[in-house]
Amino acid sequence: MSHDVNEIKKKVIETLKNIYDPEIPINIYDLGLLYSIDVKDNKVDVTLGVTSPFCPIAYIIIEQVKNALKNLFPEKEIEVHLDLEKLWSPKMMTEDGRKLFKLLYGYDPATET
């Protein structure tokens, strides 16, 4: 069972690497916006954050994620939650995300004060 859970989590991450933040051209996984993946029985539950709690199009990202995961796992129940309580920080970015940000903008946002 746990092998299946790990496979599902890997596929969720691969899928989220194809969905981009509308303001920063980096995928939401490498930005560190994936807070959790919970797989139980026939349900995949994903919690996401946003780079800014004032993001006017956060719900578009939620719909993109929900649609992508429903296409990937048509037999599963998909839940996508938005966590506006946990404040995002550049330190939450993956190493790949930080490298791409530095390439695009000329600095590593996780080391800036």
Side-chain angles (χ1 to χ4, degrees):
M1 176 69 180
S2 67
H3 177 70
D4 286 348
V5 168
N6 288 337
E7 280 302 307
I8 290 170
K9 286 183 177 185
K10 270 192 217 170
K11 287 180 180 180
V12 168
I13 290 169
E14 286 170 22
T15 299
L16 297 189
K17 284 185 174 183
N18 293 310
I19 298 174
Y20 285 78
D21 181 276
E23 295 179 339
I24 304 170
I26 298 174
N27 70 68
I28 62 175
Y29 176 77
D30 285 324
L31 270 177
L33 297 177
L34 172 62
Y35 290 173
S36 69
I37 306 168
D38 192 25
V39 179
K40 282 192 183 131
D41 302 321
N42 200 37
K43 186 175 183 181
V44 178
D45 201 322
V46 175
T47 301
L48 302 172
V50 289
T51 54
S52 164
F54 306 106
C55 180
I57 50 178
Y59 293 96
I60 292 173
I61 294 174
I62 297 298
E63 284 305 309
Q64 286 179 319
V65 169
K66 198 178 284 186
N67 291 335
L69 294 179
K70 280 183 180 178
N71 287 336
L72 185 62
F73 304 111
E75 74 289 356
K76 296 205 176 297
E77 181 185 343
I78 305 296
E79 294 250 346
V80 182
H81 305 279
L82 185 60
D83 183 342
L84 295 175
E85 299 295 313
K86 183 175 179 179
L87 291 181
W88 177 83
S89 151
K91 288 179 173 38
M92 296 163 81
M93 294 170 74
T94 65
E95 194 171 320
D96 286 345
R98 288 173 58 187
K99 284 178 186 171
L100 183 54
F101 192 99
K102 189 170 184 173
L103 188 69
L104 293 168
Y105 300 105
Y107 69 97
D108 181 341
T111 60
E112 297 296 308
T113 53

